[in-house]
């Protein structure tokens, strides 16, 4: 039985395995992680950093392109607390791919339950690769990652808010005395604890 009740088979029409769109090519744990992952399974890398992986290619129409993939690497460029960007949220719409997340946030608290695969749930990169291969061959297990659609809907806002606008909105809605930070970048880097989980990610491939 390859179909969950009330859930279509999201594996249909998907001929590719893992996609990654990445433009920030600096030395980050995610770059080394992806390189190690490519030793075990096929990963198609797009955008500016594709050349670093020997794959100078473009994706054309993003939605149409990603619809052919089963998984998408939603790797944050900084592993900061509570930092989850469009790399995760932006892939939950019509593209119908499963985000494989890497970040410093508590995804079980902030993200939609059952909608993602967290690299931190695996001991090694190889173990993650084997799990993705398992899902690739098991449509029932793969479709489990779309059951969240029975409870949640994707809402797209047309608002283009800057960080200052977001802060202003929260202050206007808060009954408490607003806090003022003179240097938001320093505050974020310190309070965000952006490097605490880097060693955990690196330990996943150090013996491979």
């Amino acid at each position: 039985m390859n179909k969950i009740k009330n859930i279509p088979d999201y594996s249909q029409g998907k001929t590719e395995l893992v996609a990654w769109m990445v433009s920030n090519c600096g030395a980050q744990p995610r770059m080394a992680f992806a390189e190690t992952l490519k030793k075990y399974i096929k990963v198609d890398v797009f955008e500016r950093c594709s050349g670093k992986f020997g794959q100078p290619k473009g994706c054309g129409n993003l939605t149409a392109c990603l619809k052919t993939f089963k998984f998408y690497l939603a790797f944050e460029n900084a592993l900061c607390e509570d930092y989850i960007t469009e790399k995760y949220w932006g892939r939950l719409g019509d593209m119908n791919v499963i985000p494989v997340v890497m970040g410093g946030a508590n995804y079980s608290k902030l993200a939609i339950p059952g909608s993602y695969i967290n690299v931190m749930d695996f001991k090694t990169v190889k173990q993650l690769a084997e799990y993705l291969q398992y899902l690739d061959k098991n449509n029932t297990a793969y479709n489990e990652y779309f059951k969240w659609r029975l409870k949640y809907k994707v809402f797209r806002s047309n608002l283009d808010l800057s960080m200052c606008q977001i802060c202003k909105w929260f202050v206007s809605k808060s009954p408490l005395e607003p806090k003022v930070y003179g240097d938001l970048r320093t505050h974020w880097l310190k309070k965000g604890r952006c490097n605490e989980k880097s060693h955990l990610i690196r330990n996943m491939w150090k013996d491979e």
Side-chain angles (χ1 to χ4, degrees):
M1 186 79 173
N2 290 334
K3 188 174 181 180
I4 302 172
K5 187 177 181 180
N6 298 324
I7 291 288
D9 184 2
Y10 285 96
S11 67
Q12 290 186 354
K14 297 182 179 181
T15 58
E16 304 296 336
L17 192 60
V18 181
W20 190 26
M21 310 289 175
V22 56
S23 297
N24 186 335
C25 313
Q28 304 156 4
R30 66 177 184 172
M31 297 293 285
F33 190 102
E35 189 65 56
T36 305
L37 184 63
K38 285 176 79 285
K39 295 179 181 179
Y40 303 109
I41 59 176
K42 183 182 178 184
V43 178
D44 288 291
V45 184
F46 300 92
E47 296 189 357
R48 194 172 67 182
C49 301
S50 61
K52 286 186 172 291
F53 294 88
Q55 301 180 19
K57 59 176 68 175
C59 197
N61 183 290
L62 181 61
T63 299
C65 178
L66 287 185
K67 277 186 175 181
T68 65
F69 287 87
K70 288 190 172 181
F71 307 98
Y72 175 84
L73 301 185
F75 290 179
E76 303 294 351
N77 57 13
L79 308 182
C80 302
E81 186 175 10
D82 298 337
Y83 183 61
I84 304 179
T85 69
E86 80 290 342
K87 296 174 183 65
Y88 164 72
W89 296 110
R91 304 298 178 241
L92 296 178
D94 297 333
M95 299 172 194
N96 296 327
V97 294
I98 299 176
V100 180
V101 302
M102 175 194 292
N106 184 344
Y107 285 89
S108 63
K109 179 181 178 182
L110 300 174
I112 300 174
S115 67
Y116 61 90
I117 297 168
N118 193 341
V119 302
M120 298 296 290
D121 292 335
F122 300 87
K123 293 182 179 179
T124 65
V125 180
K126 182 180 180 181
Q127 189 180 83
L128 169 64
E130 291 172 344
Y131 183 66
L132 297 182
Q133 289 174 321
Y134 161 74
L135 293 178
D136 181 41
K137 295 178 174 64
N138 189 319
N139 291 348
T140 300
Y142 179 81
N143 286 316
E144 285 284 337
Y145 283 91
F146 295 93
K147 288 178 68 175
W148 63 269
R149 291 180 177 271
L150 297 175
K151 295 183 178 180
Y152 302 91
K153 290 184 178 181
V154 176
F155 173 76
R156 298 295 185 196
S157 173
N158 294 323
L159 297 177
D160 184 15
L161 297 177
S162 68
M163 186 172 291
C164 291
Q165 288 174 309
I166 293 173
C167 288
K168 184 178 180 180
W169 185 89
F170 276 112
V171 168
S172 69
K173 300 296 181 181
S174 175
L176 304 177
E177 187 71 20
K179 295 181 179 179
V180 177
Y181 299 96
D183 187 340
L184 184 59
R185 177 178 174 82
T186 300
H187 170 75
W188 168 251
L189 292 176
K190 182 178 180 181
K191 295 296 184 180
R193 301 188 294 181
C194 297
N195 298 315
E196 289 190 5
K197 291 189 177 180
S198 295
H199 70 284
L200 298 176
I201 297 295
R202 293 188 177 95
N203 284 343
M204 293 180 66
W205 73 77
K206 69 176 184 178
D207 296 326
E208 297 188 19

